[in-house]
Amino acid sequence: MPELPEVETVRGQLEPVLVGRTFTDGGAHPSAKFATAPHVVGATVEAVRRRGKYLLVDLDDDRELVLHLGMTGRFLVGAEATAPEHDPYVRAWWLLDDGSRLAYRDVRRFGRIAVVPAGDHRSLPTLHHLGPEPFDDAFSADHLWQAVRASSMRVKTQLLNQRVVAGVGNIYADEALWAARVNPAARTITRPQAARLRDAVREALAAGLENGGTTLRDYRTVIGDEGRNQHTLRCYGRAGEPCERCGTELRRRVIDARGGTWCPTCQAR
DNA sequence: GGCTGGCCCTGTACGC
DNA sequence: TGCGTACAGGGCCAGC
């Protein structure tokens, strides 16, 4: 499932394909989640940015193409970017003025495509209320501590809701909580725990970025490569295996409808 | 305004 | 072998 490192990897690969190019044609699945994709035809791409897990494509007509990969979304370019009649899971496609083709493929349709006035994200509540980027100074230990303290939600749920920090999903949340020795179900944390967790979030995401993302099932880069970060995970998806820090068997637990892995000893309350 | 839970969606795994 | 069911989960939204 694409989180910040996966989306940033995709952004870096889309940028040279799209910047300076004009959309000359396009089509989309009729679902409201994708139907506006062809509205960018005639516009030229000025930049490809990322905010949290969202890709933001700046257009030269003061609009923005907003893309979210959901769980199974990926982009295809060149020969791989076939039309929906050849691939039933292609939800949107565009033709560029250099003759190349871009397709958005999303098996489970959890992704989303929107065309909005530049900077106006009110129609996308999560993007509109997005918290600071994890590597910004604004994501400080104090910010994290205050946010957790001000809410009754569990700390893992707060990491996932995108308001406290942008771009963290289930995999990197589990990794960060394990590294920081914080119980995922806790509703309060100490200030030292907040400092450890802030650092651990950054380290987990940095490792993901360094390794081109985490491929557990569906994630692929634009050029079809798998990420390599799945080989470095120390907690997520390892339920039943011994914790490499203390040897206790890692356990799986569902918190607020999100499955996850934790160490009952290292991450005791 | 904050929080919870249901829903969307479809491939995969598993039990019978 | 084939069918039915549970599960995975990010974001949205209704309801409390």
Side-chain angles (χ1 to χ4, degrees):
Chain A
M1 61 280 333
E3 304 179 29
L4 186 152
E6 291 75 34
V7 177
E8 179 59 30
T9 302
V10 169
R11 188 207 66 76
Q13 294 182 345
L14 282 181
E15 190 171 43
V17 174
L18 290 179
V19 172
R21 298 269 68 89
T22 300
F23 293 105
T24 57
D25 198 5
H29 186 277
S31 161
K33 288 182 167 187
F34 312 109
T36 60
H39 292 188
V40 298
V41 170
T44 299
V45 175
E46 294 189 329
V48 181
R49 298 180 292 125
R50 180 196 55 74
R51 184 78 174 88
K53 303 179 200 174
Y54 290 85
L55 284 167
L56 307 175
V57 180
D58 293 336
L59 306 172
D60 67 341
D61 56 5
D62 291 326
R63 293 185 303 161
E64 227 174 72
L65 173 62
V66 181
L67 308 156
H68 193 290
L69 299 173
M71 288 179 58
T72 56
R74 64 169 291 206
F75 284 96
L76 307 165
V77 295
E80 270 207 284
T82 59
E85 54 267 31
H86 298 119
D87 183 343
Y89 302 123
V90 166
R91 310 302 182 187
W93 59 270
W94 301 268
L95 203 59
L96 304 173
D97 62 346
D98 63 353
S100 59
R101 194 178 173 96
L102 174 70
Y104 174 72
R105 186 178 196 271
D106 186 354
V107 172
R108 292 193 206 174
R109 287 201 261 163
F110 272 43
R112 173 140 190 208
I113 296 173
V115 182
V116 300
D120 182 356
H121 301 143
R122 286 172 297 177
S123 61
L124 299 141
T126 302
L127 178 57
H128 186 56
H129 297 290
L130 208 56
E133 287 291 315
F135 296 104
D136 279 2
D137 291 343
F139 180 52
S140 63
D142 204 47
H143 164 80
L144 178 57
W145 182 56
Q146 297 283 5
V148 174
R149 228 164 57 120
S151 167
S152 62
M153 292 165 66
R154 300 178 192 279
V155 63
K156 180 176 175 181
T157 306
Q158 292 229 53
L159 286 180
L160 296 179
N161 80 3
Q162 308 301 306
R163 291 193 179 209
V164 177
V165 60
V168 176
N170 208 22
I171 297 171
Y172 296 100
D174 271 6
E175 289 296 298
L177 288 161
W178 178 85
R181 298 180 171 88
V182 172
N183 188 295
R187 295 182 192 271
T188 58
I189 55 174
T190 65
R191 208 179 179 295
Q193 283 181 314
R196 290 205 306 268
L197 185 54
R198 194 282 303 258
D199 291 346
V201 165
R202 287 182 168 175
E203 285 164 17
L205 293 171
L209 284 164
E210 176 73 21
N211 290 310
T214 303
T215 298
L216 294 178
R217 193 176 301 174
D218 301 293
Y219 167 69
R220 295 289 185 283
T221 71
V222 174
I223 57 175
D225 289 345
E226 292 189 355
R228 302 178 304 280
N229 200 57
Q230 61 277 15
H231 306 302
T232 73
L233 298 180
R234 300 159 90 182
C235 178
Y236 183 87
R238 292 186 171 273
E241 297 180 30
C243 171
E244 67 175 60
R245 207 161 39 202
C246 72
T248 304
E249 186 177 300
L250 297 174
R251 289 193 195 156
R252 185 184 137 71
R253 179 178 181 182
V254 176
I255 293 173
D256 295 332
R258 296 287 179 265
T261 313
W262 66 298
C263 173
T265 301
C266 294
Q267 295 171 264
R269 295 220 202 186

